[in-house]
Coordinates of all heavy atoms in Angstrom, one line a residue:
T141 N -10.6 5.4 5.3 CA -10.6 6.9 5.4 C -9.6 7.5 4.6 O -8.6 6.9 4.1 CB -10.4 7.2 6.9 OG1 -9.1 6.8 7.2 CG2 -11.4 6.6 7.8
W142 N -9.7 8.8 4.4 CA -8.7 9.6 3.6 C -7.4 9.6 4.4 O -6.3 9.7 3.8 CB -9.2 11.0 3.4 CG -10.2 11.1 2.3 CD1 -11.5 11.4 2.4 CD2 -10.0 10.8 0.9 NE1 -12.1 11.4 1.1 CE2 -11.2 11.0 0.2 CE3 -8.9 10.3 0.2 CZ2 -11.4 10.7 -1.2 CZ3 -9.1 10.1 -1.2 CH2 -10.3 10.3 -1.8
E143 N -7.5 9.5 5.7 CA -6.3 9.5 6.6 C -5.4 8.2 6.2 O -4.2 8.3 6.0 CB -6.6 9.4 8.0 CG -5.4 9.3 9.0 CD -4.5 10.5 8.9 OE1 -5.0 11.6 8.7 OE2 -3.3 10.3 9.2
L144 N -6.0 7.1 6.1 CA -5.3 5.9 5.8 C -4.8 5.9 4.3 O -3.7 5.5 4.0 CB -6.1 4.6 6.0 CG -6.2 4.1 7.5 CD1 -7.1 2.9 7.6 CD2 -4.8 3.7 8.0
I145 N -5.7 6.4 3.4 CA -5.2 6.5 2.0 C -4.0 7.4 1.9 O -3.1 7.1 1.2 CB -6.4 6.9 1.2 CG1 -7.5 5.8 1.1 CG2 -6.0 7.4 -0.2 CD1 -8.8 6.3 0.5
A146 N -4.1 8.5 2.6 CA -3.0 9.5 2.6 C -1.7 8.8 3.2 O -0.6 9.0 2.6 CB -3.3 10.7 3.4
R147 N -1.8 8.1 4.3 CA -0.6 7.5 4.8 C 0.0 6.5 3.9 O 1.2 6.4 3.7 CB -1.0 6.7 6.1 CG -1.2 7.7 7.3 CD -1.6 7.0 8.6 NE -0.6 5.9 8.9 CZ -0.9 5.0 9.8 NH1 -2.1 4.9 10.4 NH2 0.0 4.0 10.1
A148 N -0.9 5.7 3.2 CA -0.4 4.7 2.2 C 0.3 5.4 1.0 O 1.2 4.9 0.4 CB -1.5 3.8 1.7
A149 N -0.2 6.6 0.6 CA 0.3 7.3 -0.5 C 1.5 8.2 -0.1 O 2.2 8.7 -1.0 CB -0.8 8.2 -1.1
G150 N 1.8 8.3 1.2 CA 2.9 9.1 1.6 C 2.7 10.6 1.5 O 3.6 11.4 1.1
T151 N 1.4 11.0 1.7 CA 1.0 12.4 1.6 C 0.1 12.8 2.7 O -0.2 12.0 3.6 CB 0.4 12.6 0.2 OG1 0.3 14.0 -0.1 CG2 -1.0 11.9 0.1
S152 N -0.3 14.0 2.7 CA -1.3 14.5 3.7 C -2.7 14.1 3.4 O -3.0 13.8 2.2 CB -1.2 16.0 3.9 OG -1.8 16.6 2.7
R153 N -3.5 14.1 4.4 CA -4.9 13.8 4.1 C -5.6 14.7 3.2 O -6.3 14.4 2.3 CB -5.6 13.8 5.5 CG -7.1 13.5 5.5 CD -7.6 13.4 7.0 NE -9.0 13.5 7.0 CZ -9.7 14.5 7.5 NH1 -9.1 15.5 8.0 NH2 -11.0 14.5 7.5
Q154 N -5.3 16.0 3.3 CA -5.8 17.1 2.5 C -5.3 16.9 1.0 O -6.1 17.0 0.1 CB -5.4 18.5 2.9 CG -5.9 19.6 2.1 CD -7.4 19.7 2.1 OE1 -8.0 19.8 3.2 NE2 -8.1 19.8 1.0
A155 N -4.0 16.5 0.9 CA -3.5 16.3 -0.5 C -4.1 15.1 -1.2 O -4.5 15.2 -2.4 CB -2.0 16.2 -0.4
A156 N -4.3 14.0 -0.4 CA -5.0 12.9 -1.0 C -6.4 13.2 -1.4 O -6.9 12.8 -2.5 CB -5.0 11.7 0.0
H157 N -7.1 13.9 -0.5 CA -8.5 14.3 -0.8 C -8.6 15.2 -2.1 O -9.4 15.0 -2.9 CB -9.1 15.0 0.4 CG -10.5 15.3 0.2 ND1 -11.0 16.6 -0.2 CD2 -11.7 14.6 0.4 CE1 -12.3 16.6 -0.3 NE2 -12.7 15.4 0.1
T158 N -7.7 16.2 -2.1 CA -7.7 17.1 -3.3 C -7.4 16.3 -4.6 O -8.0 16.6 -5.6 CB -6.6 18.2 -3.0 OG1 -7.0 18.9 -1.9 CG2 -6.5 19.1 -4.2
R159 N -6.4 15.4 -4.5 CA -6.0 14.6 -5.7 C -7.1 13.7 -6.2 O -7.3 13.6 -7.4 CB -4.7 13.8 -5.4 CG -4.2 13.1 -6.6 CD -2.9 12.5 -6.3 NE -2.4 11.7 -7.4 CZ -1.3 11.0 -7.4 NH1 -0.6 10.9 -6.3 NH2 -1.0 10.3 -8.4
W160 N -7.8 13.0 -5.3 CA -8.7 11.9 -5.8 C -10.1 12.1 -5.5 O -11.0 11.4 -6.1 CB -8.2 10.6 -5.2 CG -6.9 10.1 -5.7 CD1 -6.7 9.7 -7.0 CD2 -5.7 9.8 -5.0 NE1 -5.4 9.3 -7.1 CE2 -4.8 9.3 -5.9 CE3 -5.4 10.0 -3.7 CZ2 -3.5 9.0 -5.5 CZ3 -4.1 9.6 -3.3 CH2 -3.2 9.1 -4.2
S161 N -10.6 13.0 -4.6 CA -12.0 12.9 -4.2 C -13.0 13.2 -5.3 O -14.0 12.6 -5.3 CB -12.2 13.9 -3.0 OG -12.0 15.2 -3.4
A162 N -12.7 14.2 -6.1 CA -13.6 14.5 -7.2 C -13.9 13.3 -8.1 O -15.0 13.0 -8.5 CB -13.1 15.7 -8.0
Q163 N -12.8 12.6 -8.5 CA -12.9 11.5 -9.3 C -13.6 10.3 -8.6 O -14.4 9.6 -9.2 CB -11.6 11.0 -9.9 CG -10.9 12.0 -10.8 CD -9.5 11.7 -11.1 OE1 -8.7 11.7 -10.2 NE2 -9.2 11.4 -12.4
V164 N -13.3 10.1 -7.3 CA -14.0 9.1 -6.6 C -15.5 9.4 -6.5 O -16.3 8.5 -6.7 CB -13.4 9.0 -5.1 CG1 -14.2 8.1 -4.2 CG2 -11.9 8.4 -5.2
R165 N -15.8 10.6 -6.2 CA -17.2 11.0 -6.1 C -17.9 10.8 -7.4 O -19.1 10.3 -7.5 CB -17.4 12.4 -5.6 CG -18.8 12.8 -5.3 CD -18.9 14.1 -4.5 NE -18.4 14.0 -3.2 CZ -18.9 13.4 -2.1 NH1 -20.0 12.8 -2.3 NH2 -18.3 13.4 -1.0
A166 N -17.3 11.2 -8.5 CA -17.9 11.1 -9.8 C -18.2 9.7 -10.2 O -19.1 9.3 -10.9 CB -17.0 11.8 -10.9
T167 N -17.3 8.8 -9.7 CA -17.5 7.3 -10.0 C -18.5 6.7 -9.0 O -19.4 6.0 -9.5 CB -16.1 6.6 -9.8 OG1 -15.2 7.2 -10.7 CG2 -16.3 5.1 -10.1
L168 N -18.4 7.0 -7.7 CA -19.3 6.3 -6.8 C -20.7 7.0 -6.7 O -21.6 6.4 -6.2 CB -18.6 6.3 -5.4 CG -17.4 5.4 -5.4 CD1 -16.8 5.4 -3.9 CD2 -17.6 4.0 -5.9
D169 N -20.8 8.2 -7.1 CA -22.0 9.0 -7.0 C -22.3 9.6 -8.4 O -22.4 10.8 -8.5 CB -22.0 10.1 -5.9 CG -23.3 10.8 -5.7 OD1 -24.3 10.3 -6.2 OD2 -23.2 11.9 -5.1
R170 N -22.3 8.8 -9.4 CA -22.4 9.3 -10.7 C -23.6 10.1 -11.1 O -23.6 10.9 -12.0 CB -22.2 8.2 -11.8 CG -23.4 7.3 -11.9 CD -23.1 6.2 -12.9 NE -22.2 5.3 -12.2 CZ -22.0 4.0 -12.5 NH1 -22.6 3.5 -13.6 NH2 -21.2 3.2 -11.8

Side-chain angles (χ1 to χ4, degrees):
T141 64
W142 284 114
E143 177 65 30
L144 279 177
I145 290 169
R147 284 179 55 199
T151 191
S152 71
R153 181 172 164 250
Q154 180 67 49
H157 184 265
T158 299
R159 181 173 179 186
W160 289 299
S161 69
Q163 292 171 296
V164 168
R165 186 165 299 284
T167 301
L168 297 181
D169 183 18
R170 74 182 74 159

